[in-house]
Amino acid sequence: MKYFDLHCDTISNCYNNKKSLFDNDLQLSLLRGKNYSFWFQCFAVWIPDEKRGKAAADYFDAVLQKLNDELELNADKIMLCKTTQDFIIAQKRNKIGAVLTVEGGAAAAGSIERLQYMANRGVKVITLTWNSSCELGDGADIEPSNGLSQFGKLAVKEMERLHIVVDVSHASDKLFYDVANTTTRPFIATHSNSRTICNQRRNLTDDQFRMIKERGGLVGINFVPVFLNSTGKASADDVLRHIEYFLSLGGESCLAIGSDFDGIDRLPNGMAGIESVEDIAELMLHHNYSEALTNSILFDNAYHFFVSL
Ligand SMILES: [Zn+2]
């Protein structure tokens, strides 16, 4: 099975807890993903809301160093995909494709030049905010929100110029619409579910989903129990409910998965980690999803998006 995951926090977790990426007791390890015939994994450097300015920039550098060390240790199994060619080479060489992303625009430390620095190191996606505010604007927990700051508006324009994808997961509603009005290229929500199915401000409204779709972006369904089901007791069936709902809004070409592995303490009932994505695929086929549609959601939509950047 082919799998493309738009978001996990595993490398930040490996850095903080001095764990190996190859084999660990987290929700994702290279060893546990060995059954996937092709596997592309976005590894987010997550910037905690208490780190700002130089502290955020230094933290980004430290976690990136950890990722690069792990890539070197496991060079026979995994490679960083910085260019379209790299995505193709990873498949030819039968390697896992690592995609570098940043969760929290605070990593730029309020500097436009820092975005070029990040692009040079292979950053493909930046989630503009986490739940609080940063130099770019206000996250989902800030209400009322001022949306994108002046710096945030400059930053998203520079990201578009550098072909770094703007990610609106964790955005406040105002920030979402500011992004839609400020940008021209496709933008994405790497790990966001449906607010109609589970009323949570981290989830996307129907209007937001349609805007991402019409722009040619992607929406990654996450496995966070409280964003799947308002009781917080979620199972793989809830993952399917969100997928089905977004499909009813015409999402067949923009839906993907953004697991959030190792960004959450607990997974839906019956799921253990990266190996459980196979069960989601099985469940989809069991519910009479065609193989083509299942593959689109689990791999093709995200793959085509990244190779056409
Ligand atoms: Zn997140």
Side-chain angles (χ1 to χ4, degrees), residues 7 9 103 130 170 191 202 260:
H7 187 81
D9 287 306
E103 185 172 27
W130 199 56
H170 289 280
H191 56 305
R202 264 285 285 109
D260 211 6

Side-chain angles (χ1 to χ4, degrees), residues 126-141:
I126 298 178
T127 316
L128 298 182
T129 64
W130 199 56
N131 292 326
S132 184
S133 300
C134 71
E135 292 87 344
L136 281 76
D138 293 335
D141 279 354

